[in-house]
Amino acid sequence: MHLFIVGGETVETELRRKFGAAHQYDFCPATAPDLPARLAAADVLFDLRDWPQLHYERPRQPLFYDTTARSLAQLFHGEEPPLGPVFGLCALPTLLDRPLLEVTLLDSISAPALATLCADLGTDYRLVADRVGLVTPRIVCMIINEACYTLQEGTASVQDIDLGMKLGTNYPHGPFEWANAIGVARVYETLEALYQDTHEERYKVCPLLKTMYLRGESFAL
């Protein structure tokens, strides 16, 4: 298949590893002058920008959006429906290349198209509710946020918290290692979107994490 990807620079390696070498990949800058022609040549589209907008091009191919920070319902609120099937997926770094592709639907009519498309891409998938944060990003970012509260209170160090989480839960990364791999800014933005969507205290961003985000810093591991 010919995969057309906009805004996927941070997950290019993961995308190629996830779907394999049998496909053709076209990573395209959003400002490319030949975008319409490259778009038309593709079999499936991925718009992984913070504010995806490929549907304004009116494509008919299946279209995946990164819906970590906003749901498909939010993206298409007040918009004309797309011409082709539209899906949401989890595209945060470290969370894309997994056995199951985490996806959402804009409408149930597109479910058969999703099954066919995932078979063509060579991946199993898990359908989740069309909600901000999906499932895995919501859990991982909340763990990182709680770890930030622990660090802020001086209860333990970054290294102690990371080691304790890996040994105690068998997670592949400690929370701060994971925050750096995902990107502190992406973690902050996901939590902020979750809090604005739900107003639940468990998603309220820790002041330490917010400071790290504002300063453009990563955690010293």
Side-chain angles (χ1 to χ4, degrees):
M1 297 188 75
H2 183 148
L3 282 60
F4 179 88
I5 305 104
V6 178
E9 296 82 6
T10 60
V11 290
E12 178 174 351
T13 300
E14 277 190 84
L15 268 171
R16 292 181 182 276
R17 194 167 57 230
K18 169 64 180 170
F19 298 123
H23 304 292
Q24 179 181 349
Y25 297 83
D26 182 5
F27 287 85
C28 181
T31 56
D34 59 345
L35 186 146
R38 292 164 70 173
L39 188 68
D43 297 310
V44 57
L45 318 174
F46 293 81
D47 193 341
L48 307 183
R49 293 172 288 184
D50 291 339
W51 289 98
Q53 53 184 7
L54 275 185
H55 60 280
Y56 290 122
E57 303 288 340
R58 311 300 291 154
R60 297 178 180 274
Q61 302 99 316
L63 174 57
F64 281 102
Y65 278 161
D66 180 3
T67 52
T68 304
R70 53 194 59 84
S71 66
L72 288 172
Q74 288 175 323
L75 285 170
F76 284 91
H77 178 66
E79 301 282 353
E80 292 184 31
L83 295 177
V86 176
F87 314 110
L89 84 165
C90 166
L92 287 184
T94 77
L95 300 182
L96 180 58
D97 182 24
R98 298 182 291 161
L100 291 173
L101 190 68
E102 191 169 325
V103 290
T104 65
L105 295 174
L106 181 61
D107 56 64
S108 58
I109 298 174
S110 300
L114 176 63
T116 300
L117 181 58
C118 286
D120 291 341
L121 289 169
T123 182
D124 291 330
Y125 69 96
R126 178 65 52 84
L127 197 59
V128 301
D130 180 34
R131 294 186 59 194
V132 172
L134 297 103
V135 174
T136 307
R138 180 185 297 250
I139 294 170
V140 171
C141 290
M142 188 167 57
I143 290 170
I144 292 168
N145 200 43
E146 289 299 319
C148 287
Y149 277 113
T150 302
L151 180 64
Q152 179 178 272
E153 292 163 5
T155 307
S157 69
V158 167
Q159 293 76 16
D160 290 340
I161 294 170
D162 269 1
L163 182 61
M165 285 295 290
K166 285 193 282 189
L167 293 177
T169 64
N170 201 32
Y171 282 178
H173 311 286
F176 299 111
E177 183 184 359
W178 224 334
N180 285 355
I182 293 171
V184 170
R186 296 298 301 274
V187 173
Y188 169 83
E189 290 160 2
T190 301
L191 286 165
E192 184 65 18
L194 280 163
Y195 183 70
Q196 294 302 322
D197 184 58
T198 66
H199 295 289
E200 294 182 16
E201 285 296 312
R202 58 181 170 164
Y203 302 124
K204 194 169 186 179
V205 180
C206 172
L208 173 63
L209 180 59
K210 184 174 183 178
T211 299
M212 299 284 289
Y213 160 73
L214 292 173
R215 291 177 177 173
E217 296 177 350
S218 298
F219 292 99
L221 303 178

